[in-house]
Amino acid sequence: PAGLTVVRFRSDTTVQVAGRERPDTRQACVGPSGIEVSVTMDTHRIYVARDLTQTRTCQREVVIEHENRHARINFDCLDDARATIHAALLRLVPTLGWIEGRNLNSVAANTEFLNKIRPVVREHLSAAVGRARARHAAMDSNEAYRRDWAKCG
């Protein structure tokens, strides 16, 4: 291979909580009032062998086209991850319920909800990356390389 596409996916999750406390008993009830998940590519770079970058050749164009297809898979992976995470959160949120107790604070409640949400986000991001890896592997088969190089005669 004369090219390489490098990617690193990242997810960030934040939860806002809201609740009520009875002043006479200090009994509180806290639930999630907002959840935000961001899935991004922290790193996305395409490398092409130095000898192919000096002049415009058929081989150079084939390598760039091939690496751009890898890049498209990575962007598709983002879309896939975002959609499956969104669907999973729609199923999860109604099950989160409320945290009840005395002297609850929002930091502890936030952490408890994050501990329930983050594994779901990681699971679905990992699954999307796995599906993307399978597509990358198919593109990088010997047969696929033969087809690509055949374009240059």
Side-chain angles (χ1 to χ4, degrees), residues 42-58:
D42 212 19
T43 301
H44 194 264
R45 291 191 180 100
I46 295 175
Y47 297 97
V48 176
R50 185 181 314 266
D51 58 325
L52 291 177
T53 62
Q54 305 306 313
T55 59
R56 193 174 187 96
T57 64
C58 178

Side-chain angles (χ1 to χ4, degrees), residues 11-61:
S11 68
D12 292 305
T13 305
T14 57
V15 176
Q16 294 80 40
V17 296
R20 295 178 188 226
E21 180 181 83
R22 288 188 54 177
D24 56 335
T25 64
R26 306 278 304 167
Q27 188 72 16
C29 186
V30 179
S33 61
I35 299 170
E36 184 176 320
V37 176
S38 171
V39 180
T40 59
M41 283 186 272
D42 212 19
T43 301
H44 194 264
R45 291 191 180 100
I46 295 175
Y47 297 97
V48 176
R50 185 181 314 266
D51 58 325
L52 291 177
T53 62
Q54 305 306 313
T55 59
R56 193 174 187 96
T57 64
C58 178
Q59 290 83 5
R60 174 182 180 265
E61 296 308 309

Side-chain angles (χ1 to χ4, degrees), residues 65-109:
E65 177 187 317
H66 179 90
E67 297 309 318
N68 281 333
R69 287 194 315 263
H70 279 298
R72 182 71 249 152
I73 290 171
N74 294 331
F75 284 100
D76 290 348
C77 179
L78 270 182
D79 293 341
D80 179 16
R82 289 172 178 153
T84 58
I85 289 167
H86 180 74
L89 290 177
L90 288 176
R91 291 187 302 274
L92 176 67
V93 168
T95 70
L96 292 175
W98 293 82
I99 300 170
E100 296 180 32
R102 291 176 58 82
N103 301 314
L104 283 178
N105 67 57
S106 62
V107 174

